[in-house]
Amino acid sequence: MEALVSSIPSPTAAWQSWKIGPLTIHLYALLILAGIIVAAWWTHVRLTKRGGEPGVVLDVVLWTVPLGIIGARFYHVFTHPHDYFYSGANLWNVFAIWDGGNAIFGSLIGGAVGLWLACALPKHKLRFWSFADALVPGLLLAQAVGRLGNYVNNELFGLPTKMPWGLQISSDNKAFPAGLPSGTLFHPLFLYEIIWNLVGIAVLLLIERKYKPRWGIFFGMYLIWYGVGRSWLESIRIDPSEFSFLGIPTNVWAAFGAIVLGIVIIAVQSHRHHGAEPSVYRRGYEWTPGESADRNRAGEGDQTGQSDVVDSNEPVQGDAEATSRSGS
């Protein structure tokens, strides 16, 4: 009992995967999928409240999720090449995302490319920054859920600690530092990041409620919050990336980059846009509830009356300044 209350046990290999017939189900993959689902649902709720068409988030997800997964895996492999490229290595392990090794910074880059492509589609023409702002709390929640997968896979732990919440890691774990005695406890970085992300949701939503930051400014705040937390976590991580500059690991530089990018986004967008954001769509592509039904009736030959859909090319009164300064 004393061991249980003075440390956090790591799950055994039996928790990592199980077989159902010919299929192998990996809990890590299920947790990543759960994170994607909760992020998509929360973004849908937030975007539709701001005038987005129901279902538009699913169209965006079809672009962002695949490219986000590719970016996450590519970034991890690129920063840990010796784990995948050595004499006798099985190169197919490069694609084994279920074994862990999916970098969030890479997923943000890949997901951003996917979002840009989705927003450029003639079908929707969403504003890139409007969607990014709507995504913020769901993204943090998805990242928190995904970190549970690191716990299941016995990865993402930090320097040795004697704190009562120290994480138990088996000495035969490939990331276990050489020279340390069996039974050494480590900082549970996955847990620290989960807490940081959940606190971030509360703090950023309070800021949004009071100041209503738009035009990508809210997303810039997310980058700053997440970058600050990750810069510290990566500095005490046992298995950082294999590359460094000035003695600072790549992932710490990436966290610094997120902070700088967030500041730049806030500064630039605050200068460019002073009015309220008129729509989550670009000018001329606004969606109005009932528009789809009206189009269907028109296609069936219903010419009996004038459509009650607002002309999307007409700027909303009072938003003229914001509309004239609109951008993606």
Side-chain angles (χ1 to χ4, degrees), residues 155-173:
E155 58 190 9
L156 193 61
F157 52 92
L159 297 172
T161 181
K162 293 184 179 180
M163 293 296 182
W165 54 81
L167 180 67
Q168 299 175 18
I169 295 293
S170 174
S171 58
D172 60 4
N173 187 305

Side-chain angles (χ1 to χ4, degrees), residues 200-281:
I201 292 173
V203 170
L204 292 177
L205 286 180
L206 285 174
I207 292 175
E208 185 184 46
R209 177 177 294 183
K210 183 173 179 63
Y211 298 104
K212 293 182 172 53
R214 293 290 186 263
W215 301 106
I217 295 172
F218 194 50
F219 186 76
M221 294 177 179
Y222 153 80
L223 289 175
I224 295 173
W225 179 272
Y226 190 68
V228 168
R230 279 299 294 273
S231 64
W232 176 74
L233 293 174
E234 289 293 337
S235 67
I236 64 171
R237 185 172 176 175
I238 284 290
D239 60 335
S241 56
E242 297 174 10
F243 303 108
S244 63
F245 179 67
L246 298 179
I248 300 175
T250 303
N251 282 345
V252 177
W253 282 113
F256 291 161
I259 296 171
V260 172
L261 180 59
I263 294 173
V264 170
I265 290 172
I266 292 173
V268 171
Q269 294 297 86
S270 297
H271 176 74
R272 291 182 61 196
H273 305 286
H274 302 289
E277 186 181 73
S279 172
V280 297
Y281 293 94

Side-chain angles (χ1 to χ4, degrees), residues 32-301:
I32 295 296
L33 179 61
I36 292 171
I37 291 173
V38 298
W41 172 79
W42 202 346
T43 304
H44 157 78
V45 171
R46 287 168 53 81
L47 201 66
T48 52
K49 283 183 177 179
R50 293 168 53 192
E53 181 180 1
V56 69
V57 170
L58 181 59
D59 292 337
V60 175
V61 164
L62 294 176
W63 288 89
T64 56
V65 170
L67 289 175
I69 292 174
I70 292 172
R73 188 60 175 178
F74 178 82
Y75 184 99
H76 174 77
V77 172
F78 179 78
T79 55
H80 296 79
H82 293 165
D83 290 346
Y84 302 95
F85 306 105
Y86 55 86
S87 178
N90 180 0
L91 295 181
W92 285 109
N93 287 337
V94 168
F95 306 101
I97 61 174
W98 49 85
D99 287 335
N102 296 286
I104 289 179
F105 289 122
S107 70
L108 290 175
I109 295 171
V113 173
L115 177 57
W116 180 83
L117 292 172
C119 291
L121 289 175
K123 180 180 180 181
H124 298 302
K125 291 292 185 180
L126 285 164
R127 295 182 192 273
F128 178 94
W129 292 118
S130 297
F131 193 97
D133 285 341
L135 176 64
V136 166
L139 181 57
L140 280 170
L141 183 57
Q143 290 170 334
V145 173
R147 284 310 182 195
L148 291 174
N150 296 126
Y151 174 56
V152 169
N153 281 1
N154 294 193
E155 58 190 9
L156 193 61
F157 52 92
L159 297 172
T161 181
K162 293 184 179 180
M163 293 296 182
W165 54 81
L167 180 67
Q168 299 175 18
I169 295 293
S170 174
S171 58
D172 60 4
N173 187 305
K174 64 180 181 180
F176 194 95
L180 291 180
S182 177
T184 299
L185 302 179
F186 301 90
H187 282 288
L189 299 191
F190 76 90
L191 178 60
Y192 295 168
E193 184 167 333
I194 289 174
I195 295 172
W196 182 257
N197 289 343
L198 294 180
V199 172
I201 292 173
V203 170
L204 292 177
L205 286 180
L206 285 174
I207 292 175
E208 185 184 46
R209 177 177 294 183
K210 183 173 179 63
Y211 298 104
K212 293 182 172 53
R214 293 290 186 263
W215 301 106
I217 295 172
F218 194 50
F219 186 76
M221 294 177 179
Y222 153 80
L223 289 175
I224 295 173
W225 179 272
Y226 190 68
V228 168
R230 279 299 294 273
S231 64
W232 176 74
L233 293 174
E234 289 293 337
S235 67
I236 64 171
R237 185 172 176 175
I238 284 290
D239 60 335
S241 56
E242 297 174 10
F243 303 108
S244 63
F245 179 67
L246 298 179
I248 300 175
T250 303
N251 282 345
V252 177
W253 282 113
F256 291 161
I259 296 171
V260 172
L261 180 59
I263 294 173
V264 170
I265 290 172
I266 292 173
V268 171
Q269 294 297 86
S270 297
H271 176 74
R272 291 182 61 196
H273 305 286
H274 302 289
E277 186 181 73
S279 172
V280 297
Y281 293 94
R282 296 184 185 182
R283 186 179 182 185
Y285 292 89
E286 296 86 350
W287 175 82
T288 304
E291 184 176 17
S292 298
D294 288 333
R295 288 177 178 174
N296 291 337
R297 287 197 300 270
E300 294 169 0

Side-chain angles (χ1 to χ4, degrees), residues 288 291 307-314:
T288 304
E291 184 176 17
S307 170
D308 59 355
V309 178
V310 177
D311 184 356
S312 61
N313 288 306
E314 290 295 327

